Amino acid sequence: MDFTTKILHTAYSKSDVHGALRMPVYDAAAFEFPDAESLEAAFLGRNPGHVYSRLTNPTVEYLEKMIKEVTGALGVVSFSSGMAAISNAFLALVQPGDNIVTTKHLFGNTYSLFHKSLKSFGIEFRFADLTDLTSVKGAIDEHTRAIFLETITNPMLEVADVSALSEITRENKILLIADTTLTPLYLFDSKKHHVDIEIISSTKYISGGGTSTGGIIVDYGTYDWSYSAKLSNDAEKFGPFAFIARLRKEIHRNFGACLSPHNAYLQTLGLETFALRAEKSCANSLEIAEWLERQPKVEKVNYPGLKSSAYYKLSQKQFGKLAGAIITLDLASKEECFLFLNNLKIIRRATNLNDNKTLALHPASTIFCEYTPEELVPLGVSEKTIRLAIGIESARDLIDDINQALNKTDK
Amino acid sequence: MNLKINGKEQKIDSSEIAVKELLVLNKVEMIDMVSVQLNGTFVRKEDFETRMVKENDVVEYLYFMGGGRYSD
């Protein structure tokens, strides 16, 4: 069955009392039970009843069920943001002394989480070149628990070979964790590429147009948790549910970064039109990137769907024609970048991705603002780069806007 | 036989019973999503029909998903 058909016809766990065709927003903090025994059973996880909305909630559960339906995953847990999903995943999976192999070319806040916040918990993040398998293999040792990647990195737009990385993780009996925020669900089949754990910022495509923040963890049930230094005891008790159990019974519950019912509702709506919006924004991106390549004022254009991209073949293999909706372009200087941004009339100056509106940003001075120019060099973030997060407007209108703003960059 | 199921003593009119039969007998909802432990050890879903529960065994079944109140 097609992605959108599955989404639109995901069954409720329980029939709605009024026959509502859309899952209602259960804006309730708590749920009552007929007797103390039932309440105890629900608390112990012995019956699948909702107790308290920090733990589970019918509307939130329906969003999770929709994602389970289209991914075929073992379990799905949602969070208040994409960053909450990443941090909760690692809090559940690793302990002091463990290390994770990843790249420096990550979303700025993810990089900050890794090399500052989680480092202080005694967790080491080893920064390798994920596009170079020798570099990856060389970074792995007996304390390595996972490889973490972004399917398309933000904002470098690097594409790693996910299947090749999965061969390394399976050989070393470690996890492959993919942040697929730039290419979630409809754009990239994580299961087919042997990703064990998928993490998505649902704030982006899934929210339906920048409506709400949220994060999703998808567990494909492919990892043998008896190999996990932290979760091997849980594996004995819970088998493939070891990670989901640790999240539900401890990390997600105790850290409290739950998705609100209202945001979950907005995201169930977003999923219904996700495929339509993804098709349009990716097609727009290719058209705009090809146009940008022909502009003399643009020093460099980066989009994995461009034939000139170093990642074009890999991108075609992994994402087909849906190579995401992020483009970066380099102008002559930071000053030109700011002039360009300040002269945009349709495109909005804002951070976020996969809004329905096209957004533009200067990454070095915004999402990487905590780093000095020297520190930005190894991160690959240039002061001459602008990130365009392409929306679903007319490509022609967007090109006209970019063109007039480019023409005003002469000082 | 006597069993302890989710913390409660239960008598079954049989000397042994398959895990799946026991779940059906106890009207456990969404069997595919339930995690079953027999005497503290996880039972794989593919073993539900062949793994036998015997006298004095302890069975726990747990849900880890957001659920919904399936039984009125």
Side-chain angles (χ1 to χ4, degrees):
Chain A
M1 203 187 288
D2 165 82
F3 178 93
T4 301
T5 309
K6 280 185 188 172
I7 288 289
L8 288 170
H9 297 283
T10 298
Y12 301 160
S13 296
K14 184 181 177 186
S15 300
D16 181 74
V17 288
H18 300 291
L21 272 174
R22 189 170 293 296
M23 170 55 80
V25 189
Y26 280 85
D27 263 335
F31 301 85
E32 70 170 334
F33 287 76
D35 48 53
E37 288 78 9
S38 313
L39 185 57
E40 180 191 38
F43 258 83
L44 292 171
R46 288 170 176 169
N47 95 32
H50 298 288
V51 172
Y52 187 62
S53 286
R54 174 165 48 80
L55 316 178
T56 62
N57 170 282
T59 315
V60 175
E61 185 225 350
Y62 186 58
L63 171 71
E64 292 166 349
K65 198 164 186 281
M66 279 178 148
I67 291 172
K68 195 164 175 289
E69 197 73 26
V70 292
T71 55
L74 178 79
V76 177
V77 183
S78 55
F79 294 85
S80 55
S81 70
M83 289 307 299
I86 297 173
S87 52
N88 277 251
F90 283 110
L91 290 168
L93 292 170
V94 294
Q95 52 198 357
D98 289 347
N99 72 66
I100 307 293
V101 174
T102 185
T103 169
K104 282 189 175 179
H105 298 161
L106 297 167
F107 168 53
N109 293 169
T110 304
Y111 177 67
S112 180
L113 172 77
F114 289 173
H115 93 109
K116 289 182 178 172
S117 314
L118 290 176
K119 189 179 172 188
S120 68
F121 285 77
I123 300 155
E124 182 192 356
F125 285 83
R126 296 185 170 182
F127 299 104
D129 178 356
L130 297 186
T131 64
D132 172 3
L133 301 181
T134 309
S135 160
V136 175
K137 286 176 186 168
I140 293 173
D141 68 13
E142 70 272 26
H143 300 295
T144 304
R145 305 297 173 221
I147 293 175
F148 175 90
L149 74 140
E150 293 173 356
T151 42
I152 297 179
T153 67
N154 174 17
M156 294 296 292
L157 308 185
E158 270 180 11
V159 180
D161 187 333
V162 182
S163 291
L165 289 173
S166 80
E167 284 177 25
I168 298 174
T169 54
R170 283 180 285 166
E171 194 180 308
N172 288 277
K173 298 181 170 50
I174 60 176
L175 284 158
L176 183 61
I177 305 173
D179 178 339
T180 65
T181 295
L182 270 62
T183 60
L185 308 178
Y186 182 71
L187 287 78
F188 175 70
D189 186 343
S190 287
K191 194 173 189 179
K192 185 176 146 196
H193 290 84
H194 308 290
V195 170
D196 298 303
I197 305 290
E198 179 174 11
I199 301 179
I200 310 165
S201 169
S202 54
T203 312
K204 297 3 184 241
Y205 265 130
I206 293 174
S207 80
T211 65
S212 51
T213 64
I216 304 284
I217 292 179
V218 182
D219 178 356
Y220 285 95
T222 46
Y223 186 67
D224 181 347
W225 297 103
S226 66
Y227 294 120
S228 163
K230 187 166 179 181
L231 300 181
S232 56
N233 287 340
D234 296 24
E236 204 168 300
K237 287 190 281 182
F238 305 123
F241 293 97
F243 175 53
I244 293 292
R246 182 60 72 107
L247 286 173
R248 289 283 187 212
K249 289 164 72 73
E250 184 193 333
I251 303 297
H252 174 270
R253 184 193 68 188
N254 292 355
F255 283 85
C258 58
L259 183 66
S260 77
H262 185 69
N263 284 4
Y265 172 77
L266 292 170
Q267 296 184 12
T268 62
L269 297 187
L271 277 172
E272 292 186 359
T273 56
F274 173 22
L276 299 172
R277 289 179 289 106
E279 294 277 358
K280 175 68 173 163
S281 59
C282 292
N284 275 355
S285 298
L286 182 59
E287 188 175 341
I288 293 165
E290 286 175 340
W291 180 86
L292 283 167
E293 269 191 320
R294 299 192 295 271
Q295 307 312 306
K297 282 192 174 174
V298 177
E299 293 189 351
K300 194 168 84 179
V301 183
N302 193 2
Y303 178 63
L306 277 176
K307 285 184 179 153
S308 58
S309 166
Y311 305 111
Y312 175 71
K313 277 190 182 166
L314 194 51
S315 170
Q316 291 289 303
K317 184 181 139 199
Q318 295 185 163
F319 318 120
K321 61 179 183 163
L322 303 174
I326 310 301
I327 301 169
T328 63
L329 59 138
D330 282 15
L331 299 179
S333 64
K334 179 181 175 181
E335 290 68 32
E336 273 203 21
C337 288
F338 274 35
L339 270 173
F340 172 78
L341 289 168
N342 291 340
N343 281 291
L344 289 169
K345 294 189 187 312
I346 294 173
I347 297 171
R348 310 299 181 92
R349 291 166 291 276
T351 186
N352 199 9
L353 313 171
N354 310 126
D355 193 313
N356 294 333
K357 300 177 183 75
T358 297
L359 309 179
L361 185 80
H362 180 251
S365 62
T366 55
I367 51 178
F368 289 91
C369 67
E370 69 192 89
Y371 301 105
T372 63
E374 294 71 34
E375 287 171 326
L376 288 179
V377 174
L379 303 184
V381 178
S382 165
E383 294 214 315
K384 293 161 56 173
T385 301
I386 283 168
R387 184 184 78 184
L388 294 175
I390 304 298
I392 59 171
E393 306 96 327
S394 142
R396 190 66 253 164
D397 290 341
L398 294 171
I399 288 170
D400 286 347
D401 193 29
I402 294 167
N403 191 34
Q404 64 82 23
L406 279 175
N407 288 335
K408 289 174 185 158
T409 56
D410 297 320
K411 283 180 251 175
Chain B
M1 64 176 164
N2 294 304
L3 302 174
K4 195 168 190 178
I5 300 171
N6 272 3
K8 285 183 184 164
E9 304 291 343
Q10 191 174 334
K11 262 193 186 317
I12 304 278
D13 283 341
S14 173
S15 59
E16 59 174 23
I17 187 169
V19 167
K20 184 158 185 186
E21 273 184 89
L22 183 67
L23 295 175
V24 171
L25 189 70
N26 278 280
K27 295 178 180 163
V28 172
E29 306 274 349
M30 302 188 308
I31 288 175
D32 282 354
M33 279 314 296
V34 81
S35 164
V36 176
Q37 288 169 32
L38 176 58
N39 300 320
T41 305
F42 177 76
V43 181
R44 295 183 312 162
K45 208 186 317 174
E46 49 267 42
D47 297 336
F48 277 11
E49 290 187 21
T50 54
R51 190 76 183 272
M52 303 308 287
V53 181
K54 295 175 182 163
E55 176 75 18
N56 293 328
D57 278 350
V58 177
V59 180
E60 288 274 331
Y61 52 86
L62 300 169
Y63 295 91
F64 300 118
M65 54 180 294
R69 277 173 86 180
Y70 301 98
S71 51
D72 291 314

